[in-house]
Amino acid sequence: MGISTINPATGETLKTFEPIADEAIEAKLALAQQAFNKYRHQPFEQRAIWMQTTADILERDREIFAQMMTLEMGKTLKSAIGEVEKCALVCRFYAKNAAQFMADVPATTDASSSFVRYQPLGAILAVMPWNFPFWQVFRFAAPALMAGNVGLLKHASNVPQCALKIQEIFAEAGFPEGVFQTLLVGADKVAKIVADDRVKAATLTGSEPAGESLAANAGKNLKKVVLELGGSDPFIVMSSADLPAALSTAVTSRMLNNGQTCVAAKRFILVEEIADEFIKGFVKKFEELKVGDPMLPETDIGPLATPTILKELDNQVQACIQSGAKLLTGGRALSEKAGNFYLPTILTDIPLDAAARQQEFFGPVALVFRVADIDEAIELANNTSFGLAATAWTTVSSEGDRFISELEAGAVFINGLVKSDPRLPFGGIKRSGYGRELSIQGIHEFVNIKTVWVK
C-alpha cells in the first residue's frame, strides 16, 4: 500500500506522499544520535516543561487533530476528540511522575553503597498502527522521551498526515530538533532501520505477522522489543451480574473505534440463566446503532479503515456462517453507501471446529457463546491463542476472585469496560505480545537498569 490519505467514508484519495529515500533515512538516524547525545543530559524539570507544553498544544487544537484522524482512518469525530484528550493526559502523567519513576533505588548489600540507576538507551523505533493514530504514538513517546530517549516513528501508511503532525507537535512544544522524528517509509525499510547500531530498541503495536517480523529482526540484532498485538478478548456475564450495565458496556466495548480495537471485547460468554435475555437486548442495541458519516455527532459507527479490512472481515463472517454459525443481525457490508461501512453483526451457535473460534474479528462483529457455569466460562475464555484482556461481570466475590486468578490475560476487569490507563501497565501474554506500556513499567521498558556497587 502506498503512503496516502484515503478517506474511508468516501474512498477519495486526499493526499499522497513519497517515501523518503535511503539518504534521508540516514540523515534522520544521524540526527537522532546527535540529539540523544545532548538530550539525555537535560534535567527532568526541562523535559517536563516540554511535555506539559505538548499536552497544552494537544488540548488547544484537539478538534483539528481529531478531524485529521477521522479523515484518515474513519473513527467518529467525537471518539477522535477523546483520543486527543487522552494523549494530553498521558503527557501530563509522565511529566509529573517520570523523575520519581527514574529515581535511584537503594539496596542493602555488603557494599558501602549500592543502588539501581535507570538510564536512557538512545533512539527507539516505534512501528505504530492506524487504528489509534495519536494515542498509540503518545503512549510510547511520553515515557520514552521523559526517560531521556529519542523517538523514531514509522507510522501506518494510511495515516501519514497524523504521523507528520505528531512530529510538528513535539517540535512546537520545544523539544530539541531530532528528539522525535517521523520516518515516512514502507514496511520494507523497517528491518534495515532496526539493524542500524544507532537504533537501540523497538516497539510495535499491530498484527501478529508484523510482530513476528519485527521480533525476528530485533532478535537477530540482539535488541529489546515491546509488542502489543491482537486480541480476542472474552466478556463473561454471570447470573448475578447487573445485566443492564453489562449489556450497555458490551455494546460500547465491541463498537469502540468502529470495532477496530485490539483490546475490545469480541467473544461474549453468557451463562445459560441470563443468555436469552442478554442476547435479546444485545441484538436490539446493535440494530439501533447509527452507521454513517463519522464527522456527524449522531453517528455511532463509521467506516472501516480500508477496503481490504472490510473484505477480510466479511470473508470471516461468511465463513463462520457457512461453518454452521447462526447470524442474529447484520452480516454484510453497506453496499448502498460509498466507503467501507459494515453493519453491526452478531454470530452465535458457532461450531467447535469453526476457525472463527480462534480468530480476531477486527470490526463491528460479536461472537456469542452459552456456557453452563463458571468452570466452562473460564475454560472457553482461555481457549484462545491471544491473551490481551478479559472482562467478567459478577457480584459474587468468590467468582470475581476466580476470574482474576484464572483468566489468562494481561489485564482482567471486573464489572467494567477494559481500557488503557496511564496509571496502569498495559500489554498481553501468549500471542498478544510481551512487554508493557504505561505506568512505571512502561517507562522502564526502554532504559538500562544499571546495578551500582561502591565500597
Side-chain angles (χ1 to χ4, degrees), residues 266-267 311-328 331 342 345-361 365-369:
K266 298 185 177 77
R267 295 178 297 137
K311 182 178 180 181
E312 290 174 351
L313 182 70
D314 189 55
N315 287 343
Q316 286 179 290
V317 170
Q318 303 313 319
C320 189
I321 294 170
Q322 290 168 15
S323 75
K326 182 179 179 181
L327 176 67
L328 297 182
Y342 202 84
T345 298
I346 300 175
L347 296 165
T348 191
D349 297 342
I350 300 160
L352 289 174
D353 59 351
R357 283 179 173 257
Q358 295 299 323
Q359 294 175 336
E360 178 181 26
F361 283 68
V365 177
L367 309 183
V368 175
F369 303 86

Side-chain angles (χ1 to χ4, degrees), residues 234-251 265 267-279 282 368-374 377-378 380-381 390-395 399 403 407 413-416:
F235 188 106
I236 302 169
V237 185
M238 301 300 291
S239 58
S240 67
D242 179 341
L243 279 187
L247 186 58
S248 176
T249 305
V251 176
R267 295 178 297 137
F268 297 83
I269 301 170
L270 317 173
V271 292
E272 283 288 358
E273 293 95 320
I274 54 87
D276 287 341
E277 182 180 353
F278 188 96
I279 291 170
F282 208 31
V368 175
F369 303 86
R370 294 171 179 260
V371 294
D373 53 29
I374 189 171
I378 292 172
L380 177 56
T391 314
W393 289 76
T394 178
T395 55
E399 290 179 345
F403 288 130
L407 289 174
F413 280 57
I414 305 296
N415 300 328

Side-chain angles (χ1 to χ4, degrees), residues 14-268:
L14 303 176
K15 199 167 185 179
T16 299
F17 298 81
E18 284 294 323
I20 62 174
D22 289 346
E23 294 79 7
I25 295 174
E26 166 60 30
K28 286 180 176 288
L29 290 173
L31 179 58
Q33 184 61 51
Q34 294 167 11
F36 173 67
N37 291 338
K38 295 181 180 179
Y39 179 69
R40 65 182 302 177
H41 301 298
Q42 289 286 352
F44 282 105
E45 294 79 7
Q46 180 58 69
R47 296 179 207 164
I49 290 171
W50 290 329
M51 194 61 70
Q52 290 281 15
T53 304
T54 302
D56 292 340
I57 295 168
L58 288 165
E59 291 172 343
R60 181 195 71 198
D61 294 338
R62 70 190 79 187
E63 292 194 9
I64 295 172
F65 304 144
Q67 289 171 1
M68 184 178 295
M69 281 191 277
T70 299
L71 280 174
E72 288 206 302
M73 59 71 54
K75 68 172 70 245
T76 62
L77 182 60
K78 56 190 175 186
S79 68
I81 292 172
E83 181 173 335
V84 178
E85 292 171 342
K86 192 170 183 178
C87 293
L89 180 68
V90 76
C91 289
R92 297 198 192 283
F93 175 80
Y94 281 106
K96 178 181 178 182
N97 294 296
Q100 174 189 341
F101 291 162
M102 295 283 286
D104 291 349
V105 178
T108 302
T109 70
D110 57 337
S112 303
S113 172
S114 53
F115 55 92
V116 174
R117 174 160 293 176
Y118 301 103
Q119 295 181 309
L121 296 177
I124 313 298
L125 173 66
V127 181
M128 293 288 105
W130 48 262
N131 58 335
F132 291 92
F134 268 53
W135 171 243
Q136 304 281 13
V137 177
F138 278 93
R139 79 181 188 189
F140 145 74
L145 268 56
M146 284 303 303
N149 296 303
V150 301
L152 295 166
L153 171 63
K154 187 279 179 225
H155 217 326
S157 295
N158 59 328
V159 290
Q161 294 190 63
C162 289
L164 293 170
K165 181 56 67 175
I166 292 169
Q167 176 179 311
E168 292 177 13
I169 291 169
F170 281 117
E172 182 183 348
F175 283 95
E177 184 182 13
V179 168
F180 187 92
Q181 298 180 82
T182 286
L183 310 178
L184 283 187
V185 296
D188 60 317
K189 299 293 184 182
V190 170
K192 185 176 180 180
I193 295 170
V194 169
D196 193 285
D197 287 341
R198 291 163 293 191
V199 175
K200 303 305 182 184
T203 182
L204 177 144
T205 298
S207 68
E208 290 175 80
E212 291 170 357
S213 176
L214 182 70
N217 286 321
K220 186 167 61 176
N221 291 282
L222 296 178
K223 294 183 181 179
K224 174 74 176 289
V225 173
V226 169
L227 300 176
E228 195 266 278
L229 308 177
S232 186
D233 293 359
F235 188 106
I236 302 169
V237 185
M238 301 300 291
S239 58
S240 67
D242 179 341
L243 279 187
L247 186 58
S248 176
T249 305
V251 176
T252 299
S253 180
R254 179 62 285 217
M255 294 304 156
L256 279 172
N257 209 38
N258 307 335
Q260 301 165 122
T261 306
C262 294
V263 77
K266 298 185 177 77
R267 295 178 297 137
F268 297 83

